[in-house]
Each structure stands twice: as C-alpha cells, then as structure tokens.
Amino acid sequence: MNQPASAYFIEDRHDPNETHTLAVLVQNEPGVLARVIGLFSGRGYNIESLTVSETESQKHLSRITIVTTGTPMVIEQIKHQLDRMIPVYRVVDMTLSGRAIERELAMVKVRGTGEPRVEALRLADAFRARVIDATTESFVFEITGNSGKINQFIDLMRPLGLVEVSRTGVAAIGRGPEGM
Amino acid sequence: MSDKSHDPNQMTGAAMIVRALIDHGVQHIFGYPGGAVLPIYDEIFQQTEMQHILVRHEQGAGHAAEGYARSTGKPGVVLVTSGPGATNMVTPLADALMDSIPLVCITGQVPTHLIGNDAFQECDTVGITRPCTKHNWLVRNVNDLAKVLHEAFYVATSGRPGPVVVDVPKDVQFATGTYHPPRKSDVHVSYAPRVKGDAMQIRKAVALLASAKRPIIYSGGGVVNSGPEASKLLRELVEITGFPITSTLMGLGAYPASGKNWLGMLGMHGTYEANMAMHDCDVMLCVGARFDDRITGRTDAFSPGSKKIHIDIDPSSINKNIRVDIPIIGDCGDVLGDILQVFKAEAKKPDIKGWWSEIATWRARKSLAYKPNRDVIMPQYAIQRLFELTRGRDTYITTEVGQHQMWAAQFYGFEEPHRWMTSGGLGTMGYGLPAAIGVQVAHPDSLVIDIGGDASVQMTMQEMSTAVQFDLPVKIFILNNSYMGMVRQWQQLLHGNRLSHSYSEALPDFVKLAEAYGGVGLQVSKPADLDGAILEMISVKKPVLFDCRVAALENCFPMIPSGKAHNEMILPTEAADPAAFFASGKALV
C-alpha cells in the first residue's frame, strides 16, 4: 500500500454512498440544534437537508429531519452518535423503514412577460403549484412535493425567467397509524 | 415576611453549588478563583466539609480531577472562572471525553445581561466546550440550578462516563432560589443508558466462545470504568475459559500482569505475541475497548479470520472502525457476569493447547528485549527497576505522553485496576504531573509516581507548587533524554532522520528546579546508582523531581509502522542497526 509518511493509517474507503432521511425527536432546549449540527461538522458527516421545528410545545419536543449521505457504516454511526446525545429521544431512519412520506415546500420566483410567462403559469398548473404573489412581470409559485418533483419544477422554470428559490428542506413522516 | 425566609432550601446560587457538591459526596475540588466565581469561593471559605485544592493553572485542575476520578471511580470536580479559566479547561475536558473519565466542571460566566456583549473575561463556554463534553448546560435561572447540578453528576458518572460543564453566570450565583436534594426526576427522560446486555446475544457469544480454537480476549478501559467488580469477573472468565488475554493502554491492570494468561499490551507498541494472537485468532472477545486506530493498525488487514464479539456500553462504539459479528450493548461488568453464568451452565473449557503452543513461539521472540548497558541507563531498565523496587507497595502510576509512556506500559506490571492513569485517547503531554497530584489527594498515604519525559513534564511543571502547598509527596520520575523522544522516533522512521525541533537545547536543572519549588531534586546517570536513588525517592516525604538521565537515542519497540497490519511489526532485533533501519525508513511506508 502506498501512502505518505504519516503517524496515521491512511485508507481509501470504497463503499458506495447512500442517502438516508433521519427523523430525530429532541428536547427543545437552548443549544440542541447547535449540538446536532456540531456533531455533523465535527465528525465530517454530510447534511443535504435539515429542517427543524417544535412539534409538541407542552412537552417541549422538536422534530429534526436530516437528509444525509454516507457509506452504510457512516450512516449507522450517525444514528448512534445522534442517539447518544443527552437531549435526543429517538432517531428513526425513515429510509430504512421504507414506509415514509417525504415532502418539501418551495417558493419559486419567476420573472417574464409574454409567452414565457404564460408557459410558466401553465407548467405551474400542471405541477399543482399555487400562485402566491403576482405582478405584471413576475410570479411567486408555492409548490410542495418530494425533492425530485421540486427539482424538476425548478429546472423547467430556469429558461422561463427563474429569479430565486426558497426551499424548506425535507420533512418526513411514516405511513400508517403508528407514530415514531 | 413570608415563611420562605426560614426555608432552609432557600439560598443563593453560589450556596446551592456548594450544597449540591456536598450532597453528591464530594470531598475534594480542584480549582482556581477569578471574578466570575467569587461568590462560590466565598461559600467555599465558609464551610469545612469539602477541601479545595488550589492549582497553578486551570489545565492542572482538570488533569488532577481526572487522576482523582480514575484512581477512585468517583467523579472529579473542577471549579474555574469564566473566559480564560474555561478555555484553559478545554484540554482536560477533551482528554476526559476521549478516555471516558467522569468530570463535573463548574465554570463561572459573566452576568446574564452581559452575555453576548464581549464583556470582560467572557467567552462562549458552552459553545466552546460542546464538542469536548458529554453534555453541558448554561444556567440562566437560579431555580434551575439544583436540577442541572444533580443531572450533571448523573450524566458524568452513568453510562459511558465523561466530562460535563455547568456554566453559571455571576448574577445567578448571587440570586436566591429554591434548592432541592438529588432526586430521580432531575434527569432528562431522553437519557437512559443501557446497562444490561441482550440475553440472546449473550447466548450466541457463549456458543462462539465455547467453539473457539484460537480465541483471544481483548479488554479495555471500559472494564476499569465499570468498577472493581468487572475486573474480578474478567479474571474469572479468563480462569474458566483458559483464554489468552491482552489489553489496551487504558485497560492495564484489569487483568494482572503476573497472570499466566497475560500476553501484554497490544497495539502500535504492544507485544509481538499479543498482536500476532490478535491477527491469527478465530474468536475475539472485545470487552470495553473501541478498536482505536493505535490498536487496529490497517483496518482492512485487522484480524482477518476472526469472528468478533464486542461488549460496549456505548452503541456508537460498535461497528465504528471494525465490523463485529456479535455486538452486546451493556455495562462490561453486567455483561461479563451474564456471560460467565451462561458459560458455566452450558459450556465447557475448549481445548486450545495448540493455540497456546503457537503463542509460546511468538513469546519466544522476546519482543520487549533491549540491549543492556553498564554505563548508560536504558530507559526500559529504569522502568523495570522502578517496578521491582515499588512492587508490593501501595503504588499508583501516572504518565505523561511519549516514549516513556509506552515503556511504562510495557515494563511496569499492573496487578490491579485504577492504579494506572495515563492520557490514552487525546495523548496530552503534561497530563501526568497534575494527575499524580489528583491521585495523591485521593490517596494521601500511597506512593504516587508520575513517569514523565523531560519535554512533557515541563508543560505543567508549575503544579509542583501545588504539590508543595498541599503536602502532596508526588514523585516525578523523569526519563530525561533531552529529546521529544517519540517525535524524534517518528522523524527517524518517516522523515529521513531530519530532527526538526525535537531536541531541547536548554533544559532546566531539574534538581535546582525542585528545590526552588520547595521539593527535593535527585539526579542519576549511572545504572549502578539507580536503585539507591529510587529508594531515596520513595523514602522522601516531599514532592520529588527525579532526573533520570537515560540513553538519549533509544527508541520504543516493538512497533507497528503506519499502514501495516499486526503481523508486520518491527521487532527490536530487526531494529538493532538503527542506521540501516532508519535509512530504509522512508521505504517502510
């Protein structure tokens, strides 16, 4: 094995990366989000998307949804590392459970007149995006769906005068009657 | 006036802190005063139940508390001020997190209305210490203080132990609120470490152990952390299975070095027999260790033919570096107890005579051998003599970090757990002297020796003053070769023998230095004088700096070079011609 002079064992890892969506139930207390984000940056994990909001205010519970990528061993580590944090109640791998619904909301601003403007409106209708703001030369569309659908919509808007996009990131929930 | 004024549980935040410490049985606390903790120091002044040890630098307080904790099994407690007091604590906190040492550190903070204003001696203590603590808290309301303090003790000492920080703004220390003694509900419901191992997994593990032809037990610091009972159970398991056992640096003493199944330490500077047995085994039982990179060597060539059982209280240790076949989440002591019970009931000692004879051939390589010298003290010889002359005494050993640390691990035989305090994970130079002070505080009548190097020991030398002030007769046994030996060894091996800044051109006169502090200095450079000097050191009832001048260019072997597997160790015989060896250094990697 060829490697530079080092006090550490330097290895290439060849396992393929996977993308997983994790739902994390946490005590809503100061610094809890910083702990979660610090864990990811400190240990070199990826964050593709992160959403957080209080979900049960009486119990001070917040739900964080994280989309991350890594080798299967790294994904397993991420879950264990999250789970051992003191204010974390539960970590559920929504991708492994295979029965999760993922949704994202995006607001998409498109500027144009004439035919492109009509085309943007027509496509928005096809994607069930709503117009939530309009001027004579622009629209703001609100669209919800999985990330793929939103990516597709944004790609279609690009040649029609896309100005900017604001996305919430992914929220996920399991199907069926049971909670996490 | 309401009745509240007579309520004994009504008190200031500062009083609550002292009260909570006493309620948790704290007898000693290590610290350094400053503006943001003066109210707490005022309370300490007015009580007698707990003794405060004044250090000379906050880092010293942290390492002293680590030594205290590691040698007693109780949490170490530290009190430091805001800003620089807190940042100076960062190294010991990171050290304690890596080695799973329970510490409760209370930091002062600027008053709440000044937080975020860049006030004098302000820093974001919880932000800075977040990644180097198990958990931390900023207490903004005096009525939360009691709960947080109790939770802090629980979190630090339960599950996988670790350091915690409670940051208390000065106005909260002055404010009056209601205290309550420790109670169950003080803990986050989301925190419930698992202690008991899964019964099915334990049965599977026993079946695997019973079927082993070439088994090995690889134990670690988790066994020591679990308490003396775990070490007893480990010894019993070795006895009834007849398996060979090796240990990490942190786990030394859990199984006695004089035990017949002992293979010595494993890993980068472990023995040949331990590493070869790890490489060639068919069943590995890992108890409270974490497959650290100093242990595994090349992970893709680590023990390729074995089934692995891993007992650990921290699920995140499982499958982190090495994939294991039977993970068991739980406390080492509990799980070992269950394994023993099932083993006794359902299995019998497997016949592993062939394996032991294979091990005997590895042992015969005498991987720890070194060339004796009649004129110069070999560092290994110094440790051997220190061991022989302190044998049978009530001795605790701490170390700094470097070659001397590895020689201490190789040549000092530890018979009991909690007797060996070293910085394993973080590798903190300057750990040993303050750690020895902490150990001596906990065990005032024991012999406490810091095995140090001339470079490491200067990093926290100021704590000699603490030792003198509190009549702590710690013995600082310095293997002085004028080099940062381990740095030099790597430069020789990997960087073409270019010794960039690893030589100390100007060392202090350690004898005069000891005397300047009010301690005793001893210096020895001839092997013939060594025993007498060690005996003198032991008999002195004061702190001693022992300047042991050793062979300057000796290196630490055996060694697994980087990028190599366990069965590719360099043995001292192969390293006998340093010139030839080092010339090929580059090619080694």
Side-chain angles (χ1 to χ4, degrees):
Chain A
M1 191 163 91
N2 218 356
Q3 68 164 39
S6 167
Y8 297 90
F9 308 107
I10 297 166
E11 274 177 64
D12 302 321
R13 304 217 173 210
H14 299 292
D15 289 353
N17 276 354
E18 296 177 356
T19 299
H20 283 238
T21 303
L22 309 177
V24 188
L25 206 59
V26 300
Q27 185 79 32
N28 185 15
E29 60 186 25
V32 65
L33 187 60
R35 276 179 219 286
V36 170
I37 294 171
L39 172 75
F40 276 75
S41 64
R43 292 188 182 263
Y45 305 145
N46 299 309
I47 298 180
E48 303 279 313
S49 157
L50 183 141
T51 64
V52 56
S53 185
E54 191 169 68
T55 50
E56 288 183 61
S57 59
Q58 296 96 332
K59 291 187 193 163
H60 300 289
L61 287 181
S62 286
R63 182 158 167 151
I64 302 175
T65 309
I66 305 170
V67 181
T68 182
T69 57
T71 64
M73 229 161 141
V74 168
I75 301 276
E76 197 185 335
Q77 262 299 297
I78 293 173
K79 288 185 271 183
H80 286 314
Q81 292 289 354
L82 284 168
D83 210 13
R84 76 171 183 161
M85 295 184 135
I86 309 294
V88 169
Y89 283 89
R90 279 203 75 189
V91 180
V92 173
D93 188 333
M94 303 306 264
T95 305
L96 271 193
S97 74
R99 286 169 47 80
I101 308 160
E102 295 185 7
R103 287 293 180 270
E104 206 180 336
L105 183 147
M107 289 180 277
V108 181
K109 187 178 287 183
V110 180
R111 181 176 193 161
T113 51
E115 186 50 33
R117 178 174 162 84
V118 177
E119 182 60 18
L121 199 59
R122 219 170 4 232
L123 283 167
D125 193 43
F127 275 76
R128 292 188 195 160
R130 293 200 302 142
V131 176
I132 53 175
D133 179 68
T135 68
T136 53
E137 50 167 348
S138 72
F139 286 120
V140 175
F141 298 115
E142 174 199 302
I143 179 170
T144 56
N146 63 34
S147 304
K149 173 182 167 184
I150 289 171
N151 289 341
Q152 199 190 353
F153 182 70
I154 291 167
D155 284 346
L156 287 169
M157 289 300 121
R158 194 157 285 126
L160 301 177
L162 181 72
V163 176
E164 62 177 352
V165 179
S166 174
R167 299 172 72 151
T168 58
V170 173
I173 200 161
R175 292 180 192 273
E178 304 302 323
M180 75 176 268
Chain B
M1 288 290 280
S2 69
D3 284 335
K4 271 195 161 180
S5 60
H6 302 294
D7 182 349
N9 284 329
Q10 287 291 307
M11 61 182 85
T12 65
M16 271 186 210
I17 289 169
V18 171
R19 175 76 177 276
L21 297 183
I22 292 167
D23 281 356
H24 284 276
V26 175
Q27 290 168 300
H28 299 98
I29 148 169
F30 302 88
Y32 204 101
V37 283
L38 285 176
I40 306 171
Y41 272 87
D42 200 24
E43 290 294 330
I44 289 173
F45 189 83
Q46 299 173 59
Q47 56 83 49
T48 53
E49 280 171 86
M50 150 178 107
Q51 191 192 1
H52 176 271
I53 311 293
L54 174 68
V55 295
R56 298 300 182 268
H57 183 288
E58 287 88 351
Q59 186 190 353
H63 294 319
E66 286 187 88
Y68 186 91
R70 190 75 174 162
S71 67
T72 58
K74 296 192 283 188
V77 182
V78 180
L79 173 60
V80 296
T81 194
S82 63
T87 56
N88 281 342
M89 260 306 287
V90 167
T91 300
L93 290 170
D95 192 276
L97 185 69
M98 287 286 248
D99 287 346
S100 309
I101 309 292
L103 288 192
V104 176
C105 173
I106 293 158
T107 54
Q109 182 55 279
V110 301
T112 39
H113 71 274
L114 285 178
I115 290 178
N117 275 18
D118 299 324
F120 177 63
Q121 292 196 327
E122 182 190 353
C123 73
D124 176 8
T125 301
V126 286
I128 290 169
T129 61
R130 199 175 285 133
C132 55
T133 51
K134 186 172 171 187
H135 198 62
N136 62 15
W137 297 260
L138 168 64
V139 183
R140 288 172 173 273
N141 183 334
V142 69
N143 286 313
D144 296 336
L145 189 54
K147 176 178 160 45
V148 167
L149 288 166
H150 300 325
E151 184 175 20
F153 272 89
Y154 181 71
V155 169
T157 53
S158 60
R160 180 177 180 175
V164 298
V165 165
V166 182
D167 196 26
V168 189
K170 195 168 181 181
D171 56 327
V172 175
Q173 297 170 31
F174 277 127
T176 301
T178 309
Y179 178 80
H180 66 261
R183 58 186 187 206
K184 257 214 149 79
S185 60
D186 288 329
V187 179
H188 270 83
V189 269
S190 52
Y191 176 67
R194 179 162 187 175
V195 173
K196 194 94 182 131
D198 180 78
M200 274 297 290
Q201 294 289 87
I202 287 168
R203 297 202 103 76
K204 277 200 237 165
V206 169
L208 187 60
L209 292 173
S211 69
K213 300 274 178 293
R214 300 188 307 280
I216 188 161
I217 299 173
Y218 146 45
S219 78
V223 180
V224 180
N225 274 337
S226 176
E229 185 61 20
S231 295
K232 262 190 231 152
L233 293 166
L234 180 70
R235 291 165 188 215
E236 198 184 336
L237 184 70
V238 173
E239 186 60 38
I240 67 160
T241 57
F243 288 177
I245 175 167
T246 179
S247 156
T248 65
L249 182 73
M250 295 306 294
L252 295 177
Y255 183 82
S258 63
K260 66 177 182 353
N261 295 32
W262 177 239
L263 301 186
M265 181 175 78
L266 83 162
M268 185 171 271
H269 293 288
T271 66
Y272 187 64
E273 53 270 34
N275 285 332
M276 289 302 283
M278 286 290 281
H279 187 269
D280 287 1
C281 67
D282 67 346
V283 173
M284 178 187 297
L285 173 63
C286 169
V287 195
R290 58 187 178 90
F291 296 96
D292 170 87
D293 61 270
R294 302 290 105 161
I295 295 303
T296 58
R298 240 178 104 166
T299 47
D300 59 354
F302 174 75
S303 193
S306 64
K307 293 263 187 217
K308 300 171 186 77
I309 305 163
H310 188 185
I311 305 170
D312 205 299
I313 199 159
D314 178 0
S316 75
S317 288
I318 308 276
N319 291 339
K320 183 167 66 178
N321 304 323
I322 298 291
R323 206 156 256 299
V324 298
D325 302 279
I326 306 180
I328 305 174
I329 312 289
D331 179 78
C332 291
D334 271 75
V335 176
L336 282 172
D338 290 347
I339 287 183
L340 267 170
Q341 209 179 10
V342 178
F343 194 95
K344 282 185 200 158
E346 298 177 7
K348 60 179 209 283
K349 206 171 185 164
D351 177 15
I352 55 164
K353 276 199 204 80
W355 178 230
W356 272 114
S357 60
E358 222 175 314
I359 290 171
T361 63
W362 294 325
R363 267 190 177 149
R365 297 287 291 270
K366 297 203 180 307
S367 62
L368 295 180
Y370 61 93
K371 234 187 217 147
N373 192 315
R374 290 173 63 174
D375 304 316
V376 184
I377 299 175
M378 297 304 284
Q380 300 94 327
Y381 177 74
I383 305 285
Q384 280 180 315
R385 293 317 300 159
L386 185 69
F387 172 51
E388 290 303 331
L389 295 170
T390 56
R391 210 175 194 158
R393 284 174 186 271
D394 175 21
T395 310
Y396 292 82
I397 302 288
T398 71
T399 75
E400 310 290 335
V401 168
Q403 286 182 325
H404 66 272
Q405 177 191 28
M406 292 299 111
W407 282 318
Q410 291 172 338
F411 290 92
Y412 200 99
F414 293 93
E415 295 294 303
E416 296 296 332
H418 301 287
R419 297 279 168 162
W420 164 245
M421 272 54 62
T422 194
S423 171
L426 196 67
T428 308
M429 291 171 73
Y431 167 89
L433 201 166
I437 286 174
V439 175
Q440 191 83 75
V441 166
H443 310 275
D445 300 322
S446 305
L447 176 61
V448 182
I449 303 172
D450 167 33
I451 298 176
D454 50 271
S456 278
V457 84
Q458 290 189 82
M459 285 207 179
T460 47
M461 181 54 87
Q462 75 285 349
E463 300 305 333
M464 270 298 279
S465 186
T466 307
V468 171
Q469 178 177 342
F470 291 90
D471 291 323
L472 302 167
V474 292
K475 313 293 190 261
I476 315 303
F477 190 79
I478 305 167
L479 297 184
N480 182 353
N481 61 2
S482 305
Y483 279 101
M484 287 148 234
M486 194 58 95
V487 172
R488 186 206 60 210
Q489 178 166 346
W490 283 88
Q491 288 173 335
Q492 290 172 316
L493 283 169
L494 301 172
H495 295 277
N497 205 21
R498 289 178 294 279
L499 307 188
S500 182
H501 298 275
S502 54
Y503 181 68
S504 302
E505 295 262 351
L507 280 177
D509 178 331
F510 286 111
V511 174
K512 281 191 187 152
L513 188 58
E515 285 162 3
Y517 276 117
V520 171
L522 296 170
Q523 194 210 79
V524 55
S525 52
K526 291 272 168 276
D529 303 333
L530 183 60
D531 280 19
I534 290 175
L535 289 171
E536 187 182 349
M537 172 186 87
I538 294 169
S539 66
V540 171
K541 296 288 173 250
K542 277 184 167 187
V544 176
L545 284 185
F546 189 111
D547 182 7
C548 186
R549 300 288 178 90
V550 297
L553 291 172
E554 184 65 2
N555 279 336
C556 186
F557 293 105
M559 174 176 179
I560 306 178
S562 70
K564 298 283 173 175
H566 277 170
N567 58 348
E568 300 173 285
M569 299 192 82
I570 308 171
L571 291 175
T573 42
E574 291 157 8
D577 178 3
F581 178 73
F582 296 136
S584 64
K586 275 278 188 195
L588 272 171
V589 293

